[in-house]
Amino acid sequence: MFLKLLLLFVLLPFLELTILIRLSEEHGVFFTLSLIVVTGIIGTILTRKQGFLLWRRIQQEMANGQPPTDSLLEGALVLVAGLMLLAPGVITDTCGFLLLWPAFRSQAVVRLRQYYASRVKVG
């Protein structure tokens, strides 16, 4: 667990910074800063849109008497995507945009359910 946190909080920012420095060397500082701002704006718009669509789906499922389990998991992934898109960087932006893509997100929900089902023991 400690190693995973170390990778997340030390290695990922180092990689992000390295990529941003290389981008600014290759394409210029203005391009790199513009890329960071534009991906943040687009990410905010897409996160908001996907969040509202999921909120409606959750309401419909509850109105039909169904538990919105998958929709709630997708909502959590949209929240994570929004947080990733707020952080400046190419890797986090790529992961954030992938999580906003409904087909990828639904596959991620399936994988999450499989992962946690294998970890939970019913006594």
Side-chain angles (χ1 to χ4, degrees):
M1 182 66 168
F2 176 74
L3 183 62
K4 290 179 184 178
L5 288 174
L6 180 71
L7 289 173
L8 180 67
F9 290 114
V10 175
L11 188 60
L12 182 62
F14 176 76
L15 288 173
E16 292 282 21
L17 189 57
T18 303
I19 291 170
L20 289 174
I21 289 171
R22 290 284 297 165
L23 268 175
S24 66
E25 288 174 352
E26 294 287 325
H27 300 287
V29 175
F30 180 75
F31 172 81
T32 306
L33 292 176
S34 298
L35 182 70
I36 292 170
V37 170
V38 168
T39 57
I41 292 169
I42 292 171
T44 301
I45 292 168
L46 290 175
T47 302
R48 187 173 179 202
K49 180 181 177 188
Q50 290 297 313
F52 281 132
L53 290 173
L54 278 169
W55 180 250
R56 285 190 202 129
R57 193 166 83 196
I58 289 169
Q59 288 178 329
Q60 287 175 344
E61 289 173 357
M62 290 177 64
N64 293 335
Q66 301 169 340
T69 53
D70 286 351
S71 297
L72 288 174
L73 279 174
E74 285 193 44
L77 289 177
V78 167
L79 178 65
V80 169
L83 292 173
M84 291 178 123
L85 288 165
L86 285 176
V90 176
I91 299 169
T92 53
D93 285 349
T94 303
C95 293
F97 280 124
L98 280 173
L99 286 175
L100 288 179
W101 184 22
F104 183 86
R105 191 173 57 241
S106 64
Q107 285 299 314
V109 166
V110 169
R111 305 276 174 158
L112 279 172
R113 272 200 278 120
Q114 289 172 346
Y115 174 78
Y116 284 112
S118 69
R119 296 236 183 243
V120 173
K121 294 181 182 178
V122 177

